[in-house]
Amino acid sequence: MEGELALLGKYIGAGLAAFGLGGAGIGVGNIAGNFLAGALRNPSAAASQTATLFVGIAFAEALGIFSFLIALLLMFAV
């Protein structure tokens, strides 16, 4: 009984950690949408903000990959 409860907790924790992947998708969509809205308002400034766009996308994806790693660690290493 005690081992089954620990296994259940491990799977619940991994499932909760996997919610970070959805958050990363929402974050990337938000970043790209706001960049597009700003680029449509001021097209001359869009070229100078492209590097900032990619840095923001990279940070959002890194958090998603980190949450995926935590989910894998909970599933297989704990």
Side-chain angles (χ1 to χ4, degrees):
M1 176 73 180
E2 195 171 308
E4 292 174 0
L5 189 61
L7 187 65
L8 178 68
K10 181 168 77 168
Y11 288 146
I12 289 174
L16 290 174
F19 275 117
L21 296 172
I26 291 170
V28 169
N30 192 13
I31 291 168
N34 285 333
F35 174 77
L36 185 60
L40 290 175
R41 286 184 184 182
N42 190 0
S44 62
S48 65
Q49 296 299 319
T50 306
T52 307
L53 167 73
F54 290 132
V55 168
I57 288 174
F59 280 141
E61 285 296 322
L63 289 175
I65 292 169
F66 180 68
S67 68
F68 179 65
L69 176 67
I70 296 298
L72 285 179
L73 285 173
L74 286 173
M75 291 283 293
F76 299 114
V78 175

Short mmCIF file of all heavy atoms in Angstrom, two decimals:
data_model
loop_
_atom_site.label_atom_id
_atom_site.label_comp_id
_atom_site.label_asym_id
_atom_site.label_seq_id
_atom_site.Cartn_x
_atom_site.Cartn_y
_atom_site.Cartn_z
N MET A 1 0.82 -1.20 0.00
CA MET A 1 0.00 0.00 0.00
C MET A 1 0.86 1.26 0.00
O MET A 1 0.58 2.20 -0.71
CB MET A 1 -0.92 -0.04 1.24
CG MET A 1 -1.76 1.18 1.42
SD MET A 1 -3.06 1.24 0.21
CE MET A 1 -3.86 2.73 0.66
N GLU A 2 1.92 1.25 0.81
CA GLU A 2 2.77 2.44 0.90
C GLU A 2 3.53 2.68 -0.40
O GLU A 2 3.72 3.82 -0.82
CB GLU A 2 3.75 2.28 2.06
CG GLU A 2 4.41 3.56 2.47
CD GLU A 2 5.19 3.38 3.74
OE1 GLU A 2 4.61 2.88 4.73
OE2 GLU A 2 6.38 3.73 3.73
N GLY A 3 3.96 1.62 -1.08
CA GLY A 3 4.65 1.76 -2.35
C GLY A 3 3.74 2.27 -3.45
O GLY A 3 4.15 3.04 -4.31
N GLU A 4 2.49 1.86 -3.41
CA GLU A 4 1.53 2.32 -4.40
C GLU A 4 1.23 3.79 -4.23
O GLU A 4 1.05 4.52 -5.21
CB GLU A 4 0.24 1.50 -4.30
CG GLU A 4 0.41 0.05 -4.71
CD GLU A 4 -0.85 -0.76 -4.46
OE1 GLU A 4 -1.84 -0.18 -3.99
OE2 GLU A 4 -0.83 -1.96 -4.75
N LEU A 5 1.18 4.24 -2.99
CA LEU A 5 0.92 5.65 -2.71
C LEU A 5 2.08 6.52 -3.20
O LEU A 5 1.87 7.60 -3.76
CB LEU A 5 0.67 5.86 -1.23
CG LEU A 5 0.19 7.24 -0.81
CD1 LEU A 5 -1.14 7.55 -1.47
CD2 LEU A 5 0.06 7.32 0.69
N ALA A 6 3.30 6.05 -2.99
CA ALA A 6 4.47 6.78 -3.47
C ALA A 6 4.48 6.83 -5.00
O ALA A 6 4.82 7.86 -5.61
CB ALA A 6 5.75 6.14 -2.96
N LEU A 7 4.09 5.73 -5.63
CA LEU A 7 4.03 5.69 -7.09
C LEU A 7 2.96 6.65 -7.61
O LEU A 7 3.17 7.36 -8.60
CB LEU A 7 3.75 4.27 -7.56
CG LEU A 7 3.81 4.00 -9.06
CD1 LEU A 7 5.24 4.21 -9.55
CD2 LEU A 7 3.35 2.59 -9.35
N LEU A 8 1.83 6.70 -6.93
CA LEU A 8 0.76 7.62 -7.30
C LEU A 8 1.22 9.07 -7.18
O LEU A 8 0.98 9.89 -8.06
CB LEU A 8 -0.46 7.37 -6.42
CG LEU A 8 -1.66 8.28 -6.65
CD1 LEU A 8 -2.28 8.00 -8.01
CD2 LEU A 8 -2.67 8.11 -5.56
N GLY A 9 1.92 9.38 -6.09
CA GLY A 9 2.44 10.73 -5.90
C GLY A 9 3.45 11.11 -6.96
O GLY A 9 3.50 12.25 -7.41
N LYS A 10 4.26 10.14 -7.36
CA LYS A 10 5.27 10.40 -8.39
C LYS A 10 4.60 10.74 -9.71
O LYS A 10 4.98 11.69 -10.40
CB LYS A 10 6.15 9.17 -8.54
CG LYS A 10 7.26 9.32 -9.54
CD LYS A 10 8.26 8.19 -9.45
CE LYS A 10 7.76 6.93 -10.06
NZ LYS A 10 8.82 5.91 -10.22
N TYR A 11 3.56 10.00 -10.07
CA TYR A 11 2.87 10.25 -11.33
C TYR A 11 2.08 11.56 -11.29
O TYR A 11 2.01 12.29 -12.29
CB TYR A 11 1.94 9.10 -11.68
CG TYR A 11 2.67 7.85 -12.11
CD1 TYR A 11 2.19 6.60 -11.81
CD2 TYR A 11 3.87 7.93 -12.81
CE1 TYR A 11 2.85 5.45 -12.20
CE2 TYR A 11 4.55 6.80 -13.19
CZ TYR A 11 4.03 5.56 -12.89
OH TYR A 11 4.70 4.44 -13.28
N ILE A 12 1.50 11.88 -10.16
CA ILE A 12 0.79 13.16 -10.04
C ILE A 12 1.77 14.32 -10.15
O ILE A 12 1.52 15.31 -10.83
CB ILE A 12 0.00 13.22 -8.73
CG1 ILE A 12 -1.19 12.27 -8.80
CG2 ILE A 12 -0.47 14.63 -8.43
CD1 ILE A 12 -1.95 12.13 -7.50
N GLY A 13 2.93 14.20 -9.51
CA GLY A 13 3.95 15.25 -9.60
C GLY A 13 4.46 15.43 -11.01
O GLY A 13 4.68 16.55 -11.49
N ALA A 14 4.67 14.31 -11.73
CA ALA A 14 5.13 14.41 -13.11
C ALA A 14 4.07 15.05 -14.00
O ALA A 14 4.38 15.84 -14.89
CB ALA A 14 5.50 13.02 -13.63
N GLY A 15 2.81 14.72 -13.75
CA GLY A 15 1.74 15.34 -14.52
C GLY A 15 1.64 16.83 -14.27
O GLY A 15 1.42 17.62 -15.20
N LEU A 16 1.80 17.23 -13.02
CA LEU A 16 1.77 18.67 -12.71
C LEU A 16 2.97 19.39 -13.31
O LEU A 16 2.85 20.54 -13.76
CB LEU A 16 1.72 18.88 -11.20
CG LEU A 16 0.41 18.48 -10.51
CD1 LEU A 16 0.56 18.62 -9.01
CD2 LEU A 16 -0.73 19.32 -11.03
N ALA A 17 4.12 18.75 -13.33
CA ALA A 17 5.31 19.37 -13.93
C ALA A 17 5.13 19.51 -15.44
O ALA A 17 5.67 20.44 -16.05
CB ALA A 17 6.55 18.55 -13.62
N ALA A 18 4.37 18.62 -16.05
CA ALA A 18 4.15 18.69 -17.49
C ALA A 18 3.27 19.87 -17.88
O ALA A 18 3.25 20.26 -19.05
CB ALA A 18 3.55 17.39 -18.00
N PHE A 19 2.55 20.46 -16.92
CA PHE A 19 1.76 21.65 -17.23
C PHE A 19 2.66 22.81 -17.67
O PHE A 19 2.20 23.73 -18.33
CB PHE A 19 0.93 22.09 -16.02
CG PHE A 19 -0.38 21.39 -15.91
CD1 PHE A 19 -0.64 20.59 -14.82
CD2 PHE A 19 -1.34 21.53 -16.89
CE1 PHE A 19 -1.86 19.94 -14.71
CE2 PHE A 19 -2.56 20.89 -16.79
CZ PHE A 19 -2.82 20.09 -15.70
N GLY A 20 3.93 22.79 -17.29
CA GLY A 20 4.87 23.83 -17.72
C GLY A 20 5.06 23.87 -19.22
O GLY A 20 5.38 24.91 -19.79
N LEU A 21 4.86 22.73 -19.88
CA LEU A 21 4.97 22.71 -21.34
C LEU A 21 3.86 23.54 -21.97
O LEU A 21 4.08 24.26 -22.95
CB LEU A 21 4.92 21.27 -21.85
CG LEU A 21 6.08 20.40 -21.40
CD1 LEU A 21 5.83 18.95 -21.79
CD2 LEU A 21 7.36 20.89 -22.01
N GLY A 22 2.66 23.45 -21.42
CA GLY A 22 1.57 24.28 -21.92
C GLY A 22 1.83 25.75 -21.65
O GLY A 22 1.52 26.61 -22.47
N GLY A 23 2.41 26.03 -20.49
CA GLY A 23 2.76 27.42 -20.17
C GLY A 23 3.80 27.98 -21.12
O GLY A 23 3.76 29.16 -21.48
N ALA A 24 4.73 27.13 -21.54
CA ALA A 24 5.74 27.59 -22.50
C ALA A 24 5.09 27.89 -23.85
O ALA A 24 5.44 28.88 -24.50
CB ALA A 24 6.82 26.54 -22.67
N GLY A 25 4.14 27.07 -24.26
CA GLY A 25 3.44 27.34 -25.52
C GLY A 25 2.65 28.63 -25.47
O GLY A 25 2.64 29.41 -26.42
N ILE A 26 1.99 28.87 -24.35
CA ILE A 26 1.24 30.11 -24.18
C ILE A 26 2.19 31.30 -24.17
O ILE A 26 1.92 32.35 -24.77
CB ILE A 26 0.40 30.06 -22.89
CG1 ILE A 26 -0.72 29.04 -23.05
CG2 ILE A 26 -0.16 31.43 -22.54
CD1 ILE A 26 -1.46 28.74 -21.76
N GLY A 27 3.34 31.15 -23.50
CA GLY A 27 4.31 32.24 -23.44
C GLY A 27 4.89 32.59 -24.80
O GLY A 27 5.03 33.77 -25.15
N VAL A 28 5.21 31.57 -25.60
CA VAL A 28 5.75 31.83 -26.94
C VAL A 28 4.70 32.51 -27.81
O VAL A 28 5.00 33.45 -28.56
CB VAL A 28 6.26 30.52 -27.58
CG1 VAL A 28 6.57 30.72 -29.04
CG2 VAL A 28 7.49 30.04 -26.86
N GLY A 29 3.46 32.05 -27.70
CA GLY A 29 2.39 32.69 -28.48
C GLY A 29 2.18 34.14 -28.07
O GLY A 29 1.94 35.00 -28.92
N ASN A 30 2.26 34.40 -26.78
CA ASN A 30 2.11 35.77 -26.29
C ASN A 30 3.25 36.66 -26.77
O ASN A 30 3.03 37.80 -27.20
CB ASN A 30 2.06 35.74 -24.76
CG ASN A 30 1.62 37.05 -24.17
OD1 ASN A 30 1.12 37.92 -24.86
ND2 ASN A 30 1.80 37.17 -22.87
N ILE A 31 4.46 36.15 -26.72
CA ILE A 31 5.62 36.93 -27.17
C ILE A 31 5.51 37.23 -28.66
O ILE A 31 5.68 38.38 -29.10
CB ILE A 31 6.93 36.18 -26.87
CG1 ILE A 31 7.19 36.13 -25.38
CG2 ILE A 31 8.11 36.83 -27.57
CD1 ILE A 31 8.28 35.18 -24.98
N ALA A 32 5.20 36.21 -29.46
CA ALA A 32 5.11 36.42 -30.90
C ALA A 32 3.95 37.32 -31.27
O ALA A 32 4.07 38.17 -32.16
CB ALA A 32 4.97 35.07 -31.61
N GLY A 33 2.82 37.17 -30.57
CA GLY A 33 1.67 38.03 -30.85
C GLY A 33 1.93 39.49 -30.53
O GLY A 33 1.55 40.38 -31.30
N ASN A 34 2.58 39.73 -29.39
CA ASN A 34 2.89 41.12 -29.03
C ASN A 34 3.94 41.72 -29.97
O ASN A 34 3.88 42.91 -30.29
CB ASN A 34 3.37 41.19 -27.59
CG ASN A 34 2.22 41.03 -26.61
OD1 ASN A 34 1.09 41.35 -26.93
ND2 ASN A 34 2.54 40.53 -25.44
N PHE A 35 4.89 40.90 -30.41
CA PHE A 35 5.86 41.41 -31.37
C PHE A 35 5.17 41.78 -32.68
O PHE A 35 5.45 42.82 -33.27
CB PHE A 35 6.95 40.38 -31.64
CG PHE A 35 7.90 40.78 -32.74
CD1 PHE A 35 8.88 41.72 -32.52
CD2 PHE A 35 7.78 40.24 -34.01
CE1 PHE A 35 9.74 42.11 -33.52
CE2 PHE A 35 8.64 40.61 -35.02
CZ PHE A 35 9.61 41.56 -34.78
N LEU A 36 4.27 40.91 -33.12
CA LEU A 36 3.56 41.19 -34.37
C LEU A 36 2.70 42.44 -34.25
O LEU A 36 2.65 43.25 -35.18
CB LEU A 36 2.70 39.98 -34.76
CG LEU A 36 1.98 40.07 -36.09
CD1 LEU A 36 2.99 40.22 -37.22
CD2 LEU A 36 1.12 38.84 -36.30
N ALA A 37 2.03 42.61 -33.12
CA ALA A 37 1.22 43.82 -32.93
C ALA A 37 2.09 45.07 -32.95
O ALA A 37 1.73 46.09 -33.56
CB ALA A 37 0.45 43.72 -31.62
N GLY A 38 3.25 44.99 -32.28
CA GLY A 38 4.16 46.15 -32.29
C GLY A 38 4.76 46.39 -33.66
O GLY A 38 4.96 47.55 -34.06
N ALA A 39 5.06 45.32 -34.40
CA ALA A 39 5.65 45.49 -35.73
C ALA A 39 4.64 46.09 -36.70
O ALA A 39 5.02 46.84 -37.60
CB ALA A 39 6.15 44.15 -36.25
N LEU A 40 3.37 45.76 -36.52
CA LEU A 40 2.36 46.35 -37.40
C LEU A 40 2.11 47.82 -37.07
O LEU A 40 1.75 48.59 -37.96
CB LEU A 40 1.05 45.56 -37.29
CG LEU A 40 1.10 44.16 -37.90
CD1 LEU A 40 -0.20 43.42 -37.63
CD2 LEU A 40 1.36 44.23 -39.39
N ARG A 41 2.30 48.20 -35.82
CA ARG A 41 2.13 49.61 -35.45
C ARG A 41 3.31 50.46 -35.91
O ARG A 41 3.14 51.61 -36.30
CB ARG A 41 1.99 49.75 -33.94
CG ARG A 41 0.67 49.29 -33.43
CD ARG A 41 0.56 49.53 -31.96
NE ARG A 41 -0.69 48.99 -31.47
CZ ARG A 41 -1.08 49.08 -30.23
NH1 ARG A 41 -0.30 49.68 -29.35
NH2 ARG A 41 -2.21 48.56 -29.85
N ASN A 42 4.52 49.91 -35.82
CA ASN A 42 5.72 50.65 -36.17
C ASN A 42 6.67 49.74 -36.95
O ASN A 42 7.59 49.17 -36.37
CB ASN A 42 6.39 51.19 -34.90
CG ASN A 42 7.49 52.17 -35.21
OD1 ASN A 42 7.76 52.46 -36.37
ND2 ASN A 42 8.14 52.67 -34.17
N PRO A 43 6.45 49.60 -38.25
CA PRO A 43 7.27 48.65 -39.02
C PRO A 43 8.75 49.02 -39.08
O PRO A 43 9.59 48.14 -39.23
CB PRO A 43 6.65 48.71 -40.42
CG PRO A 43 5.31 49.31 -40.24
CD PRO A 43 5.39 50.18 -39.04
N SER A 44 9.08 50.28 -38.95
CA SER A 44 10.49 50.67 -39.05
C SER A 44 11.29 50.21 -37.82
O SER A 44 12.51 50.03 -37.91
CB SER A 44 10.61 52.19 -39.21
OG SER A 44 10.08 52.85 -38.08
N ALA A 45 10.65 50.02 -36.68
CA ALA A 45 11.35 49.59 -35.48
C ALA A 45 11.36 48.07 -35.32
O ALA A 45 12.01 47.56 -34.42
CB ALA A 45 10.71 50.22 -34.25
N ALA A 46 10.66 47.36 -36.19
CA ALA A 46 10.54 45.90 -36.03
C ALA A 46 11.88 45.20 -36.24
O ALA A 46 12.18 44.22 -35.55
CB ALA A 46 9.51 45.36 -37.01
N ALA A 47 12.69 45.69 -37.15
CA ALA A 47 13.97 45.03 -37.44
C ALA A 47 14.91 45.10 -36.25
O ALA A 47 15.67 44.15 -35.99
CB ALA A 47 14.61 45.67 -38.66
N SER A 48 14.85 46.19 -35.49
CA SER A 48 15.76 46.31 -34.34
C SER A 48 15.28 45.49 -33.15
O SER A 48 16.05 45.27 -32.22
CB SER A 48 15.89 47.78 -33.94
OG SER A 48 14.65 48.27 -33.47
N GLN A 49 14.06 45.02 -33.15
CA GLN A 49 13.53 44.25 -32.03
C GLN A 49 13.51 42.75 -32.28
O GLN A 49 13.06 41.99 -31.43
CB GLN A 49 12.10 44.72 -31.71
CG GLN A 49 12.02 46.15 -31.25
CD GLN A 49 12.79 46.37 -29.97
OE1 GLN A 49 12.76 45.55 -29.06
NE2 GLN A 49 13.53 47.48 -29.90
N THR A 50 13.99 42.31 -33.43
CA THR A 50 13.95 40.89 -33.77
C THR A 50 14.83 40.07 -32.83
O THR A 50 14.44 38.97 -32.41
CB THR A 50 14.37 40.68 -35.23
OG1 THR A 50 13.56 41.50 -36.06
CG2 THR A 50 14.20 39.24 -35.64
N ALA A 51 15.98 40.58 -32.46
CA ALA A 51 16.86 39.85 -31.54
C ALA A 51 16.20 39.69 -30.18
O ALA A 51 16.29 38.62 -29.56
CB ALA A 51 18.20 40.58 -31.40
N THR A 52 15.51 40.71 -29.71
CA THR A 52 14.79 40.63 -28.44
C THR A 52 13.68 39.59 -28.52
O THR A 52 13.42 38.87 -27.55
CB THR A 52 14.21 42.00 -28.08
OG1 THR A 52 15.24 42.97 -28.13
CG2 THR A 52 13.59 41.99 -26.71
N LEU A 53 13.04 39.50 -29.67
CA LEU A 53 12.00 38.49 -29.88
C LEU A 53 12.58 37.09 -29.71
O LEU A 53 12.01 36.26 -29.00
CB LEU A 53 11.38 38.65 -31.27
CG LEU A 53 10.50 37.51 -31.77
CD1 LEU A 53 9.17 37.51 -31.04
CD2 LEU A 53 10.30 37.61 -33.26
N PHE A 54 13.70 36.82 -30.34
CA PHE A 54 14.29 35.49 -30.26
C PHE A 54 14.80 35.16 -28.86
O PHE A 54 14.72 34.01 -28.43
CB PHE A 54 15.40 35.34 -31.30
CG PHE A 54 14.87 35.27 -32.70
CD1 PHE A 54 15.43 36.05 -33.69
CD2 PHE A 54 13.82 34.44 -33.04
CE1 PHE A 54 14.96 36.00 -34.99
CE2 PHE A 54 13.33 34.37 -34.32
CZ PHE A 54 13.91 35.15 -35.30
N VAL A 55 15.31 36.15 -28.14
CA VAL A 55 15.75 35.92 -26.77
C VAL A 55 14.54 35.58 -25.89
O VAL A 55 14.60 34.65 -25.07
CB VAL A 55 16.51 37.15 -26.22
CG1 VAL A 55 16.71 37.05 -24.73
CG2 VAL A 55 17.83 37.31 -26.94
N GLY A 56 13.45 36.29 -26.06
CA GLY A 56 12.24 36.00 -25.29
C GLY A 56 11.68 34.62 -25.59
O GLY A 56 11.27 33.90 -24.68
N ILE A 57 11.68 34.25 -26.86
CA ILE A 57 11.21 32.91 -27.24
C ILE A 57 12.13 31.85 -26.65
O ILE A 57 11.67 30.81 -26.15
CB ILE A 57 11.10 32.80 -28.77
CG1 ILE A 57 9.91 33.61 -29.27
CG2 ILE A 57 10.96 31.35 -29.20
CD1 ILE A 57 9.81 33.68 -30.78
N ALA A 58 13.43 32.08 -26.68
CA ALA A 58 14.38 31.11 -26.14
C ALA A 58 14.18 30.93 -24.63
O ALA A 58 14.22 29.80 -24.14
CB ALA A 58 15.81 31.56 -26.43
N PHE A 59 13.94 32.02 -23.90
CA PHE A 59 13.70 31.89 -22.46
C PHE A 59 12.42 31.12 -22.17
O PHE A 59 12.37 30.28 -21.28
CB PHE A 59 13.65 33.26 -21.79
CG PHE A 59 15.00 33.86 -21.52
CD1 PHE A 59 15.22 35.20 -21.70
CD2 PHE A 59 16.05 33.07 -21.09
CE1 PHE A 59 16.46 35.76 -21.45
CE2 PHE A 59 17.29 33.61 -20.84
CZ PHE A 59 17.50 34.96 -21.02
N ALA A 60 11.36 31.41 -22.93
CA ALA A 60 10.10 30.71 -22.72
C ALA A 60 10.24 29.22 -23.03
O ALA A 60 9.74 28.36 -22.29
CB ALA A 60 9.00 31.32 -23.58
N GLU A 61 10.94 28.89 -24.10
CA GLU A 61 11.15 27.49 -24.45
C GLU A 61 12.07 26.79 -23.45
O GLU A 61 11.89 25.61 -23.15
CB GLU A 61 11.73 27.36 -25.86
CG GLU A 61 10.72 27.62 -26.94
CD GLU A 61 9.60 26.60 -26.95
OE1 GLU A 61 9.85 25.41 -26.70
OE2 GLU A 61 8.46 27.00 -27.21
N ALA A 62 13.05 27.52 -22.91
CA ALA A 62 13.94 26.92 -21.91
C ALA A 62 13.16 26.53 -20.66
O ALA A 62 13.41 25.47 -20.08
CB ALA A 62 15.06 27.89 -21.56
N LEU A 63 12.20 27.35 -20.26
CA LEU A 63 11.38 27.00 -19.11
C LEU A 63 10.51 25.79 -19.41
O LEU A 63 10.29 24.94 -18.54
CB LEU A 63 10.53 28.19 -18.68
CG LEU A 63 11.30 29.34 -18.05
CD1 LEU A 63 10.37 30.51 -17.79
CD2 LEU A 63 11.96 28.89 -16.77
N GLY A 64 10.02 25.68 -20.63
CA GLY A 64 9.25 24.50 -21.02
C GLY A 64 10.09 23.24 -21.02
O GLY A 64 9.66 22.18 -20.54
N ILE A 65 11.31 23.34 -21.52
CA ILE A 65 12.21 22.19 -21.53
C ILE A 65 12.60 21.81 -20.10
O ILE A 65 12.70 20.62 -19.76
CB ILE A 65 13.45 22.49 -22.39
CG1 ILE A 65 13.04 22.58 -23.86
CG2 ILE A 65 14.54 21.44 -22.21
CD1 ILE A 65 14.11 23.12 -24.77
N PHE A 66 12.77 22.81 -19.24
CA PHE A 66 13.09 22.55 -17.84
C PHE A 66 11.95 21.80 -17.15
O PHE A 66 12.18 20.85 -16.40
CB PHE A 66 13.40 23.86 -17.12
CG PHE A 66 13.73 23.69 -15.67
CD1 PHE A 66 14.90 23.06 -15.29
CD2 PHE A 66 12.87 24.15 -14.70
CE1 PHE A 66 15.22 22.89 -13.95
CE2 PHE A 66 13.18 23.99 -13.36
CZ PHE A 66 14.34 23.36 -12.99
N SER A 67 10.72 22.20 -17.41
CA SER A 67 9.59 21.50 -16.79
C SER A 67 9.46 20.08 -17.34
O SER A 67 9.09 19.16 -16.61
CB SER A 67 8.29 22.28 -16.98
OG SER A 67 7.90 22.28 -18.34
N PHE A 68 9.77 19.89 -18.62
CA PHE A 68 9.77 18.54 -19.20
C PHE A 68 10.84 17.67 -18.53
O PHE A 68 10.61 16.50 -18.23
CB PHE A 68 9.99 18.63 -20.70
CG PHE A 68 10.01 17.30 -21.39
CD1 PHE A 68 8.89 16.50 -21.43
CD2 PHE A 68 11.16 16.85 -22.01
CE1 PHE A 68 8.91 15.27 -22.07
CE2 PHE A 68 11.20 15.63 -22.65
CZ PHE A 68 10.06 14.83 -22.67
N LEU A 69 12.00 18.26 -18.29
CA LEU A 69 13.08 17.54 -17.61
C LEU A 69 12.68 17.15 -16.20
O LEU A 69 12.94 16.03 -15.75
CB LEU A 69 14.35 18.39 -17.60
CG LEU A 69 15.54 17.83 -16.85
CD1 LEU A 69 16.06 16.59 -17.58
CD2 LEU A 69 16.62 18.86 -16.71
N ILE A 70 12.02 18.04 -15.48
CA ILE A 70 11.56 17.73 -14.13
C ILE A 70 10.54 16.59 -14.17
O ILE A 70 10.57 15.68 -13.33
CB ILE A 70 10.96 18.99 -13.46
CG1 ILE A 70 12.03 20.06 -13.27
CG2 ILE A 70 10.29 18.64 -12.15
CD1 ILE A 70 13.16 19.65 -12.37
N ALA A 71 9.63 16.62 -15.16
CA ALA A 71 8.65 15.54 -15.28
C ALA A 71 9.35 14.21 -15.56
O ALA A 71 8.99 13.19 -14.97
CB ALA A 71 7.66 15.87 -16.39
N LEU A 72 10.34 14.21 -16.43
CA LEU A 72 11.07 12.96 -16.71
C LEU A 72 11.83 12.48 -15.49
O LEU A 72 11.88 11.26 -15.22
CB LEU A 72 12.03 13.17 -17.88
CG LEU A 72 11.41 13.25 -19.27
CD1 LEU A 72 12.49 13.49 -20.30
CD2 LEU A 72 10.64 12.00 -19.58
N LEU A 73 12.44 13.39 -14.75
CA LEU A 73 13.16 12.99 -13.54
C LEU A 73 12.20 12.40 -12.51
O LEU A 73 12.53 11.42 -11.84
CB LEU A 73 13.90 14.18 -12.95
CG LEU A 73 15.16 14.61 -13.67
CD1 LEU A 73 15.70 15.91 -13.08
CD2 LEU A 73 16.21 13.53 -13.59
N LEU A 74 11.03 12.98 -12.37
CA LEU A 74 10.05 12.42 -11.43
C LEU A 74 9.56 11.06 -11.88
O LEU A 74 9.28 10.19 -11.04
CB LEU A 74 8.87 13.39 -11.26
CG LEU A 74 9.13 14.63 -10.43
CD1 LEU A 74 7.94 15.56 -10.51
CD2 LEU A 74 9.43 14.26 -9.01
N MET A 75 9.45 10.86 -13.18
CA MET A 75 8.94 9.58 -13.67
C MET A 75 9.98 8.46 -13.54
O MET A 75 9.63 7.35 -13.16
CB MET A 75 8.54 9.70 -15.15
CG MET A 75 7.33 10.55 -15.40
SD MET A 75 5.83 9.72 -15.01
CE MET A 75 5.80 8.45 -16.23
N PHE A 76 11.22 8.74 -13.86
CA PHE A 76 12.19 7.66 -14.02
C PHE A 76 13.33 7.67 -13.02
O PHE A 76 13.99 6.66 -12.84
CB PHE A 76 12.75 7.69 -15.43
CG PHE A 76 11.71 7.49 -16.49
CD1 PHE A 76 11.41 8.51 -17.38
CD2 PHE A 76 11.00 6.31 -16.56
CE1 PHE A 76 10.44 8.33 -18.36
CE2 PHE A 76 10.03 6.12 -17.53
CZ PHE A 76 9.75 7.13 -18.42
N ALA A 77 13.62 8.78 -12.36
CA ALA A 77 14.78 8.82 -11.49
C ALA A 77 14.43 8.79 -10.00
O ALA A 77 15.27 8.48 -9.18
CB ALA A 77 15.61 10.08 -11.78
N VAL A 78 13.21 9.10 -9.67
CA VAL A 78 12.82 9.14 -8.24
C VAL A 78 12.11 7.86 -7.89
O VAL A 78 11.29 7.37 -8.57
CB VAL A 78 11.93 10.36 -7.94
CG1 VAL A 78 11.44 10.34 -6.52
CG2 VAL A 78 12.71 11.63 -8.21
#
